[in-house]
């Protein structure tokens, strides 16, 4: 691919990705109704049992998994899509600059 095509791909990726992120953000902000549900994985008894059977590493791994899973729902999904879009468009842009040299 030439540098011109790569720049076009970078610009179109950036535009489509950011528009998608804005759309996700606006639609996710209006559907925040079930925030008062009980989550048994956040109780002290559950965390103590996890620590008892697997140690602190088990608790930390479970918290990391919950954090990673939260990136794919609601407004965090919009932020994830926006960051991925910027990184991907930047990679195409740097490829375009490198191909011209």
């Amino acid at each position: 691919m030439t540098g011109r095509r790569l720049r076009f791909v970078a610009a179109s990726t950036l535009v489509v990705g950011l528009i998608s992120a804005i759309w996700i953000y606006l639609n996710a902000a209006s559907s925040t109704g079930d925030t008062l549900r009980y989550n048994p994985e956040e109780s002290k008894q559950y965390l103590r049992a996890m620590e008892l059977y697997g140690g602190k590493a088990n608790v930390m791994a479970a918290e990391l998994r919950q954090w990673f899973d939260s990136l794919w729902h609601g407004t965090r999904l919009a932020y994830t899509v926006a960051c991925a879009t910027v990184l991907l468009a930047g990679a195409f842009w740097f490829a375009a600059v490198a191909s011209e040299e």
Side-chain angles (χ1 to χ4, degrees), residues 5-100:
R5 284 185 183 171
L6 286 172
R7 280 200 178 110
F8 175 74
V9 169
S12 61
T13 300
L14 190 65
V15 168
V16 169
L18 291 180
I19 288 173
S20 299
I22 290 170
W23 183 80
I24 292 169
Y25 182 82
L26 293 175
N27 284 331
S30 64
S31 63
T32 58
D34 57 324
T35 58
L36 298 176
R37 291 189 343 198
Y38 172 71
N39 189 3
E41 293 179 357
E42 293 177 0
S43 68
K44 289 182 181 180
Q45 183 180 12
Y46 179 79
L47 291 175
R48 185 181 179 315
M50 281 186 59
E51 186 176 346
L52 181 67
Y53 292 123
K56 294 256 186 212
N58 189 24
V59 175
M60 290 174 54
E63 288 175 356
L64 179 67
R65 184 189 54 81
Q66 287 175 351
W67 169 79
F68 188 74
D69 287 343
S70 74
L71 292 177
W72 310 108
H73 300 286
T75 57
R76 284 190 165 195
L77 175 61
Y79 294 131
T80 303
V81 169
C83 289
T85 297
V86 169
L87 290 174
L88 187 63
F92 278 120
W93 190 269
F94 284 128
V97 170
S99 71
E100 290 178 352

